[in-house]
Amino acid sequence: EPAPSGHISPPLLIKAQLAVFEKNGGDVFRDTVNGISLGNEVVEISTYEGNTYAGKKVVLAAGAFTNFSNLIDRRLDLVIKSEIVILAQVKKKEAERLSALPSLLYEIDTAEVEGIYSTQPIQYPDGNYYLKMGCNLPTDFFFDDDLEKIQQWFRNGDSDSQVEKMLDALLTIMPKLKVGNCISKRCLLPRTAKHKNPYIGKIHDRLFITAGNGWSAMCSDGVGNVAASLVINGKFPDGYAAEDFEPVFS
């Protein structure tokens, strides 16, 4: 699919979104929130840095770690799954050859892999070019309410054991790909319950919540637009039904 389709760099996306926010008069505070207090007139937010901020309305952008933060008095119904991606290193000449390669979402389902996705090679901060690929694997596992297990997954998870299998799948799709070193990365995938759509809703007169569903980078502008309408206008935009995005708690 030609432009404007393509791939998204989450760090650059956030940088662009914050630039637009500041251009429109917004202030950015790079604190880590550790508490939300609901008052009659305002919502107070406290941070690990010792600061307190107040707002008439607050949107909590929830993710895989939200249920471990105690920011709200209810637990979001989220299914948290391990996820492995590989970065296949290619030379600059190979990256240039593949510069028009479209992003891939291949809903294959075999005994080895399921739901392959990949993006064209791009240059990473270390100066090398990598083609990124991810998929679901039979060895993926789901986390209960155990933060320590999640932390151990990030620190010591055996993702390298899946590199050969994932690289074989990549080379089956792209047999002429010239790959050098291949490394693995570990991450988490939060999935919403019930309707399988992002959560967008109100949990208090002044407190709203959103939560992605594994596609947060791609749909973040859309989720933000719908959430902004709910916060500012008190309703979803035309064509959207609140029940399709209703937050579910466990």
Side-chain angles (χ1 to χ4, degrees), residues 183-200:
I183 59 177
S184 68
K185 296 288 185 179
R186 295 180 288 276
C187 56
L188 294 180
L189 177 65
R191 291 175 173 165
T192 58
K194 191 178 177 180
H195 46 61
K196 308 301 182 183
N197 293 325
Y199 289 152
I200 307 173

Side-chain angles (χ1 to χ4, degrees), residues 32-180:
T32 303
V33 176
N34 62 6
I36 297 176
S37 177
L38 300 172
N40 293 328
E41 300 295 332
V42 297
V43 180
E44 288 194 349
I45 298 171
S46 59
T47 73
Y48 283 104
E49 289 75 10
N51 298 315
T52 300
Y53 304 96
K56 292 182 178 179
K57 295 180 180 180
V58 168
V59 178
L60 172 62
F65 288 92
T66 296
N67 285 337
F68 303 106
S69 66
N70 297 317
L71 292 179
I72 55 177
D73 59 3
R74 287 176 281 177
R75 300 183 67 82
L76 276 175
D77 196 349
L78 293 172
V79 178
I80 309 298
K81 187 184 82 69
S82 66
E83 186 89 349
I84 296 173
V85 300
I86 59 171
L87 299 178
Q89 186 176 349
V90 300
K91 294 187 179 297
K92 182 179 180 180
K93 186 176 181 179
E94 181 74 340
E96 291 171 348
R97 181 179 76 85
L98 298 171
S99 61
L101 183 72
S103 299
L104 170 71
L105 181 58
Y106 185 16
E107 294 292 359
I108 188 174
D109 190 355
T110 71
E112 295 294 314
V113 297
E114 186 271 326
I116 295 173
Y117 62 91
S118 68
T119 58
Q120 64 178 249
I122 61 172
Q123 189 173 26
Y124 277 65
D126 66 359
N128 294 315
Y129 292 84
Y130 297 95
L131 187 153
K132 177 181 177 181
M133 190 203 90
C135 63
N136 295 316
L137 299 164
T139 52
D140 291 341
F141 48 90
F142 296 86
F143 295 95
D144 297 321
D145 295 339
D146 192 330
L147 179 59
E148 184 176 350
K149 286 184 178 180
I150 293 177
Q151 291 171 331
Q152 287 301 316
W153 160 246
F154 276 111
R155 292 168 181 158
N156 305 305
D158 187 17
S159 55
D160 287 346
S161 64
Q162 303 302 314
V163 168
E164 183 177 353
K165 179 189 299 183
M166 296 176 68
L167 183 58
D168 285 346
L170 177 60
L171 293 176
T172 299
I173 297 171
M174 303 176 62
K176 296 182 179 180
L177 181 67
K178 298 176 182 178
V179 175

Side-chain angles (χ1 to χ4, degrees), residues 213-232:
N213 199 25
W215 310 96
S216 297
M218 287 187 284
C219 69
S220 60
D221 280 348
V223 170
N225 181 62
V226 173
S229 177
L230 178 62
V231 172
I232 296 171

